[in-house]
Amino acid sequence: MRLQENRMKKSIVILLVCVGLSSVCRNVVLAQEVDYEQTVMIVDLRLTQFVNDMNSLMQLTSHASLATLDDIERDYNSLDFRWNLYYQTQQVYIAENEHLLDVVAAYQKTKEDVKTIVEKQKKLLIAKNLIAETEKLIEDKMPIYEDLLSNAKKFSATDKTQEQLERVKLDESIHFSELDTKYQAAIQAAAEFDELKPRIKSMNAGYLDIKNKSNTIAQMTYVPFIERIKNYIVGFAIVAVMILIASVIHSKIVTIKQMRDNAKKLKEQYIKDGRDEIPSI
């Protein structure tokens, strides 16, 4: 009898222990589930904050200066570095949650958009600066080229000033090399921006004016008086021949036109008279 009572007590104790363990296990599972959901929520908030910070950088790019764009790039790199660290530590949660994956995709897209906008804005501002610098350089060199051209004409008038003429040419070549280098850089930088075409067109006019003066100065040389007279006569003769040729061509055109008009009138007359045979030219 006592043995049965002891066995029953042991069974009750074992049952109570099992019930207690079951309750503990259930509480542990519930606690883990709550902890997982809380962690996912925290990860979601942190990832979303990264997206918002990247969007904030994008908003700053529209009216940014070159210096500001450099600051934005530094903030961009810092933000992306911190994102990568956090992303690595939370990959387990992100991989199992579709919403978190969507947040990651949103960040990647915003990141690429910011990078593209910053690069394009920097190129545009650099192009504008180069155009402005070229325009200022053209403006500064206009009076210089007037003096260079005047001096080149003066020094090419006599063989006694050929050394001065060569110095003028050398000086001019240095001026034009400086301008051409700046101009070519501006043209290349502005090539992909349609909104800069009006400024490029205006800049081209000034550049071509100076280039024509540069070519004129480079070709200047002393020509003896007799040679100049001969060149004048030859030039006059060429012009006279060209005028004669043009006159002959014009006369032939008028004659051919008159013949066609006469033929047309004759044909109309034959048709009017009802004749079958119409002469042709």
Side-chain angles (χ1 to χ4, degrees):
M1 184 69 177
R2 183 175 294 273
L3 180 61
Q4 290 180 349
E5 289 177 358
N6 289 337
R7 287 179 177 176
M8 186 176 293
K9 288 179 181 180
K10 289 180 179 180
S11 298
I12 292 172
V13 170
I14 292 172
L15 180 61
L16 291 174
V17 170
C18 289
V19 171
L21 288 174
S22 176
S23 177
V24 170
C25 291
R26 185 168 58 254
N27 290 336
V28 169
V29 171
L30 291 174
Q32 288 177 340
E33 290 178 353
V34 171
D35 183 63
Y36 176 82
E37 291 177 358
Q38 289 179 343
T39 301
V40 168
M41 187 180 300
I42 293 171
V43 173
D44 182 18
L45 291 173
R46 190 70 186 95
L47 294 180
T48 302
Q49 185 60 49
F50 277 111
V51 176
N52 292 337
D53 290 345
M54 192 60 78
N55 273 317
S56 296
L57 289 180
M58 183 184 295
Q59 299 303 318
L60 296 174
T61 61
S62 57
H63 301 291
S65 63
L66 277 174
T68 304
L69 286 174
D70 288 338
D71 293 336
I72 291 174
E73 278 191 317
R74 283 193 293 269
D75 293 342
Y76 169 92
N77 291 329
S78 175
L79 179 62
D80 194 49
F81 178 77
R82 287 182 282 114
W83 160 274
N84 288 327
L85 288 179
Y86 188 77
Y87 177 81
Q88 293 295 330
T89 60
Q90 306 299 333
Q91 280 191 84
V92 174
Y93 296 100
I94 295 172
E96 295 177 350
N97 189 287
E98 185 174 347
H99 172 70
L100 295 182
L101 289 173
D102 289 340
V103 177
V104 170
Y107 173 84
Q108 295 296 338
K109 183 180 184 307
T110 307
K111 169 188 168 182
E112 291 302 318
D113 290 344
V114 172
K115 182 179 179 181
T116 300
I117 292 173
V118 168
E119 289 177 351
K120 183 177 181 180
Q121 191 71 2
K122 285 190 75 172
K123 288 181 180 180
L124 177 61
L125 292 177
I126 290 172
K128 286 183 176 180
N129 287 347
L130 284 171
I131 291 174
E133 291 171 3
T134 305
E135 290 171 338
K136 181 64 167 59
L137 195 58
I138 289 172
E139 182 182 352
D140 292 343
K141 289 193 180 298
M142 281 294 187
I144 294 175
Y145 264 83
E146 292 296 333
D147 291 340
L148 288 170
L149 186 58
S150 176
N151 289 334
K153 288 178 179 179
K154 180 175 64 176
F155 294 140
S156 65
T158 172
D159 61 345
K160 297 179 181 180
T161 54
Q162 293 307 291
E163 186 177 344
Q164 292 93 321
L165 177 60
E166 291 305 315
R167 283 201 295 267
V168 169
K169 289 183 176 182
L170 178 60
D171 191 19
E172 184 282 322
S173 67
I174 294 172
H175 280 289
F176 187 75
S177 177
E178 178 190 6
L179 174 59
D180 189 59
T181 299
K182 183 71 71 174
Y183 171 81
Q184 297 300 336
I187 290 293
Q188 184 176 358
E192 61 182 280
F193 300 104
D194 290 339
E195 61 265 42
L196 296 180
K197 286 183 178 179
R199 291 189 64 181
I200 290 294
K201 184 177 180 181
S202 175
M203 184 181 71
N204 284 344
Y207 171 81
L208 291 175
D209 184 28
I210 289 180
K211 185 176 182 180
N212 289 335
K213 287 182 172 66
S214 173
N215 291 336
T216 300
I217 294 171
Q219 294 170 7
M220 279 190 174
T221 184
Y222 169 69
V223 179
F225 179 75
I226 298 299
E227 189 71 21
R228 278 182 281 168
I229 291 296
K230 185 173 69 174
N231 291 341
Y232 174 78
I233 293 174
V234 170
F236 180 80
I238 291 174
V239 172
V241 171
M242 291 178 64
I243 293 174
L244 179 61
I245 292 173
S247 177
V248 170
I249 293 174
H250 176 72
S251 177
K252 286 184 176 294
I253 291 174
V254 171
T255 302
I256 293 172
K257 183 178 179 183
Q258 186 64 45
M259 291 176 63
R260 287 180 177 175
D261 289 342
N262 292 339
K264 183 178 179 182
K265 290 178 181 179
L266 183 61
K267 181 178 179 180
E268 291 175 350
Q269 185 63 42
Y270 268 69
I271 294 174
K272 183 177 179 180
D273 294 343
R275 300 183 185 183
D276 293 334
E277 295 182 2
I278 300 174
S280 59
I281 297 176

